[in-house]
């Protein structure tokens, strides 16, 4: 009974794998890997959108 409460219960469904072992099947990834990949990709998307709409780095031209 104690094993059930501490997470050692029978697992249902396919075994979870590291995301680099099966990158095209997010449903098989371990939960923590899914979270890391999701946050990283959304952060890159926001950063890319920010750089796209703000023009990125602009060099200042000094006039003499």
């Amino acid at each position: 009974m104690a094993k059930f409460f501490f997470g050692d219960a029978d697992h249902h469904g396919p075994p979870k794998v590291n995301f680099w072992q099966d990158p095209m099947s997010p449903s098989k990834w371990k939960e923590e890997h899914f979270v890391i990949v999701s946050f990283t990709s959304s952060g890159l998307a926001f950063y890319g959108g920010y750089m796209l709409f703000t023009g990125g780095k602009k060099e200042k031209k000094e006039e003499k």
Side-chain angles (χ1 to χ4, degrees), residues 1 9-11 13-14 18-19 22 27-28 30 33 35 43-45 48 52-53 56-57:
M1 185 75 165
D10 293 333
H11 296 285
N18 297 321
F19 73 91
D22 194 5
S27 62
K28 294 181 182 178
K30 294 180 181 179
H33 292 183
V35 170
L44 287 173
L52 179 68
F53 290 113
K57 261 189 178 176

Side-chain angles (χ1 to χ4, degrees), residues 2 4 10 14 16 23 27 29-30 44 46-47 51 56:
F4 178 74
D10 293 333
K16 300 296 182 182
S27 62
W29 295 351
K30 294 180 181 179
L44 287 173
F46 283 121
Y47 180 73
M51 295 305 282

Side-chain angles (χ1 to χ4, degrees), residues 1-63:
M1 185 75 165
K3 287 184 179 183
F4 178 74
F5 290 115
F6 294 114
D8 287 337
D10 293 333
H11 296 285
H12 299 288
K16 300 296 182 182
V17 298
N18 297 321
F19 73 91
W20 58 84
Q21 292 172 330
D22 194 5
M24 300 305 291
S25 300
S27 62
K28 294 181 182 178
W29 295 351
K30 294 180 181 179
E31 184 178 352
E32 57 271 15
H33 292 183
F34 184 80
V35 170
I36 290 169
V37 171
S38 298
F39 284 165
T40 302
S41 59
S42 61
L44 287 173
F46 283 121
Y47 180 73
Y50 171 77
M51 295 305 282
L52 179 68
F53 290 113
T54 60
K57 261 189 178 176
K58 292 185 179 178
E59 294 182 17
K60 293 182 180 179
K61 295 182 180 178
E62 293 183 23
E63 296 182 18

